[in-house]
Amino acid sequence: AGQILAKAQEDAVKVLNSGNFRDKASILLQQIEETRDVLDGVKRIKDAKLLVDLTSKRSTVSALGFVAMATRLFAFEYNALYEIILDQVQDPITLDDTETVIAATAFPERNSYLFLTKSGKIIEYKEGTKSYMDTEEGQFRKGAAIETWGNNVYILDPDSNQIWKYVYRATTNRFSSSVGYATADAQFALAKDFAIDSSVWVLNADGIDKYYGGVKQTLTISKKPFNAFKDASKIVTAESMSEIYVLDAKSSRILVFYKDANSGNLIYDKQYVVDGVGEIRDIFVDQTSKRIKVLTPTKVYEFDMA
């Protein structure tokens, strides 16, 4: 079916470019796209609900992502944190006046939130208090993304082609020295993001890799969509989730894959195309309400997954 549609599209484009039967060629191209949508299980979201407008608290806001734990949800930007409660946004909390935050994660082990800065520092926000975390070697590695698992913190470092692991030592209130998570044949140089559910799922611009115990696993994706992602930026999953969600920012799409518990592989399920909201920078999957929240530089929208 994919090959037939690709050939039909090629022929229709030739007709369109020839200047003959342009109207019919345009109609055919539209029908081809609609057919691909049906085969890919595309759900077009044309009426995502505006939940909060962050500019009501700061006109210059440029949100980067979500960070959540239990029932609390925050949006963050380079130096500030905004808590979202139902359909209200709270006043911004300044994280630091000198550092530039680039990524964040919840740290349930300490009931806190960790913010990775551009210079390679980690700011902890805990019960209204902000402080810098420390390591036995005196500093953290620089990276592009951060995740936690138990009392461990992982930093994705594409420049070093590695994911650095740190173990939190409660007795000294600091982390261990960095240890490389993956074996020498790991490929993180082009990685955009990662997520952990006991396995480590690494997102590249055009694909997903799976690691376990630092070793890259053979991964097969069944029922691949015709319109695969082209500029993936975020991957979301958790141990409690049976799905993996991938944000393809360039086309405002969220692709959903099921985890095959028997084989360890993935099965493509569907994708949401969110129209009319602009650039999407992050997503939050609310498993309780069965809704997805999407974050743009200035606003938060949500839609029902059903």
Side-chain angles (χ1 to χ4, degrees):
Q3 291 172 354
I4 292 170
L5 288 172
K7 182 63 169 62
Q9 183 179 39
E10 181 183 345
D11 292 342
V13 169
K14 287 180 181 178
V15 172
L16 186 68
N17 292 337
S18 73
N20 299 316
F21 305 106
R22 292 180 62 87
D23 290 344
K24 289 185 177 180
S26 296
I27 292 171
L28 181 58
L29 286 169
Q30 179 63 34
Q31 290 173 337
I32 290 170
E33 285 305 308
E34 290 172 355
T35 302
R36 279 184 171 143
D37 278 2
V38 171
L39 295 174
D40 279 350
V42 173
K43 300 181 183 298
R44 294 193 174 273
I45 309 299
K46 299 182 180 296
D47 54 353
K49 175 186 176 183
L50 175 61
L51 192 65
V52 297
D53 185 346
L54 301 176
T55 62
S56 65
K57 295 299 181 180
R58 181 179 290 176
S59 61
T60 59
V61 63
S62 182
L64 298 174
F66 286 124
V67 61
M69 183 166 52
T71 60
R72 300 188 75 181
L73 175 66
F74 296 86
F76 68 91
E77 62 172 332
Y78 78 101
N79 72 339
L81 189 61
Y82 303 78
E83 185 167 11
I84 299 164
I85 302 177
L86 298 177
D87 60 351
Q88 300 293 317
V89 58
Q90 306 304 299
D91 291 336
I93 300 165
T94 300
L95 291 169
D96 194 271
D97 291 323
T98 58
E99 291 292 321
T100 299
V101 171
I102 59 172
T105 186
F107 192 24
E109 187 79 6
R110 284 178 51 80
N111 194 32
S112 65
Y113 304 86
L114 305 182
F115 298 87
L116 177 66
T117 73
K118 188 175 181 179
S119 66
K121 295 179 181 178
I122 290 182
I123 301 170
E124 182 184 45
Y125 177 73
K126 178 180 172 65
E127 298 174 353
T129 300
K130 297 155 286 185
S131 60
Y132 285 103
M133 303 296 285
D134 197 10
T135 74
E136 292 175 352
E137 55 192 349
Q139 61 185 6
F140 289 93
R141 303 269 188 164
K142 293 182 181 180
I146 183 172
E147 292 289 341
T148 62
W149 181 257
N151 66 335
N152 301 325
V153 167
Y154 296 82
I155 295 176
L156 172 64
D157 180 3
D159 290 341
S160 299
N161 194 40
Q162 186 57 274
I163 292 176
W164 302 107
K165 174 183 175 181
Y166 296 86
V167 181
Y168 177 69
R169 316 284 195 195
T171 54
T172 59
N173 192 29
R174 63 179 179 175
F175 288 95
S176 66
S177 298
S178 60
V179 176
Y181 163 76
T183 54
D185 60 345
Q187 297 176 347
F188 302 135
L190 301 177
K192 301 289 186 179
D193 194 21
F194 73 126
I196 304 175
D197 66 354
S198 76
S199 295
V200 174
W201 302 88
V202 178
L203 179 68
N204 300 304
D206 59 354
I208 302 171
D209 291 329
K210 180 182 180 181
Y211 289 81
Y212 188 80
V215 179
K216 187 176 181 180
Q217 307 294 298
T218 300
L219 180 65
T220 300
I221 300 179
S222 302
K223 302 180 181 179
K224 287 184 179 180
F226 299 115
N227 286 327
F229 47 83
K230 302 177 180 65
D231 187 29
S233 57
K234 295 287 184 179
I235 185 168
V236 175
T237 194
E239 189 176 22
S240 60
M241 297 169 67
S242 58
E243 306 91 358
I244 285 179
Y245 297 80
V246 173
L247 170 63
D248 188 2
K250 196 168 188 178
S251 53
S252 298
R253 292 186 298 153
I254 303 165
L255 289 80
V256 185
F257 303 84
Y258 277 108
K259 304 172 191 173
D260 188 328
N262 295 319
S263 67
N265 292 317
L266 297 178
I267 304 169
Y268 170 75
D269 180 45
K270 58 179 170 287
Q271 59 184 273
Y272 301 98
V273 178
V274 188
D275 294 328
V277 301
E279 177 190 1
I280 299 176
R281 291 190 170 174
D282 202 1
I283 61 174
F284 172 72
V285 180
D286 190 331
Q287 299 179 75
T288 302
S289 67
K290 302 298 182 185
R291 293 178 178 175
I292 293 180
K293 291 179 175 61
V294 296
L295 177 70
T296 74
T298 59
K299 297 178 176 67
V300 178
Y301 296 86
E302 70 172 4
F303 63 88
D304 194 328
M305 284 189 281

